[in-house]
Amino acid sequence: MTEAVGLVAKRILVTGGTGLVGKAIEKVVADGEGQPDEEWIFVSSKDADLTNAVETKALFERHKPTHVIHLAAMVGGLFKNIRYNLDFWRRNIHINDNVLHSAYETGVQKVVSCLSTCIFPDKTTYPIDETMVSISIPMHSLMETHALLHSLLSYPQIHNGPPHSSNFGYSYAKRMIDIQNRGYFEQHGCRFTAVIPTNVFGPHDNFNIEDGHVLPGLIHKVYLAKQTSSALTIWGTGKPRRQFIYSLDLARLFLWVLREYDEVEPIILSVGEEDEVSIREAAEAIVEAMDFKGELVFDTTKADGQFKKTASNAKLRRYLPGFQFTPFRQAVKETCAWFSTNYANARK
């Protein structure tokens, strides 16, 4: 818990507070970006089982937050998603519903949830942007509100097509947060919103090779290949492209959204389209950062997953034209250094 000095106006509860993004937010707050009227409370699965409604409500009643950053989720890389799509759907649906409803019942002023670019249809136009998820929200009667929420399920934007088949459980569960946010606004006037980050990486990530995301998995592979003087085997062709955002940059943007962003419609938090890199290029950046001299081998018998999901950060740039992202290779270097230093205790 990070306590502010003097009068506390905001008690900010961060679910998933010990994960990749939660740890990044904790660091930027501790490094001086917290404000005197804020008290930060970082919780993990050890504090409550958020799939359980009773435990979730008790957590909220215990801490009495005024604001919530909702990061808690069952997450994993491509191959874990392929194996456990049903589990991803069920666990995340329960977590999200319990957190949002407990926030409503305990009078939380604002919730910022974390979505993903995987919510967008697999077959779509690029770059993807907020117009593919957002609609204007006029005032309605209760009957009209119910009709509107029902129509959102077939609204021809993010719901206009299925997400990529590899992670449909996780993707649909994240889509439903947007529907719930709109429902709580329509019916109860709640200021619940969400952000849509692209591929996040950084210290405190899950570096598990089979179940983690692509970048931390590659970092772990390079580390092991260097230790054993063996070739580096990369799953897939290396051709898919991604926009990677450093967790510490995302953390600073989360603080801005919590304090300044007043729309119910989600906002994409991403580096620019011009900063998209291929998996091969990402691997090469890791190889350079860790001074790996061995051979790179691409195992094309493994699935590539979605080829691209290029996102536009034009809306973010309209709000924050001067925001400076950490250069990709610098962020990779810092993450590799953290992993090497903390190898014994890193999630892997």
Side-chain angles (χ1 to χ4, degrees), residues 286-299:
I286 295 166
V287 164
E288 178 183 308
M290 301 190 82
D291 195 31
F292 176 71
K293 304 298 185 183
E295 181 186 5
L296 271 67
V297 178
F298 290 87
D299 181 357

Side-chain angles (χ1 to χ4, degrees), residues 181-257:
N181 285 347
R182 297 171 191 282
Y184 279 108
F185 178 81
E186 282 272 339
Q187 204 161 319
H188 301 297
C190 299
R191 284 200 307 153
F192 295 175
T193 189
V195 302
I196 308 174
T198 47
N199 293 62
V200 192
F201 72 99
H204 301 282
D205 207 338
N206 179 2
F207 294 85
N208 186 284
I209 291 173
E210 291 196 5
D211 293 342
H213 288 109
V214 58
L215 209 92
L218 284 172
I219 289 172
H220 193 179
K221 279 189 171 185
V222 173
Y223 179 92
L224 293 177
K226 185 175 179 180
Q227 295 294 313
T228 58
S229 300
S230 56
L232 170 63
T233 301
I234 299 170
W235 292 345
T237 65
K239 294 178 181 178
R241 304 185 65 79
R242 296 290 183 266
Q243 289 158 290
F244 293 101
I245 182 171
Y246 193 31
S247 59
L248 296 176
D249 292 341
L250 181 60
R252 290 156 54 213
L253 290 171
F254 254 106
L255 298 191
W256 169 77
V257 171

Side-chain angles (χ1 to χ4, degrees), residues 88-138:
F88 276 95
W89 161 261
R90 296 190 69 236
R91 287 185 61 82
N92 286 312
I93 280 291
H94 288 310
I95 289 170
N96 299 335
D97 185 55
N98 291 336
V99 167
L100 292 177
H101 200 62
S102 292
Y104 159 65
E105 289 188 319
T106 58
V108 170
Q109 297 171 25
K110 185 173 184 179
V111 178
V112 181
S113 295
C114 193
L115 308 186
S116 165
T117 51
C118 69
I119 66 173
F120 293 96
D122 181 33
K123 308 301 183 191
T124 189
T125 56
Y126 295 100
I128 52 182
D129 62 31
E130 294 84 358
T131 66
M132 297 177 177
V133 63
S134 62
I135 61 172
S136 61
I137 304 182

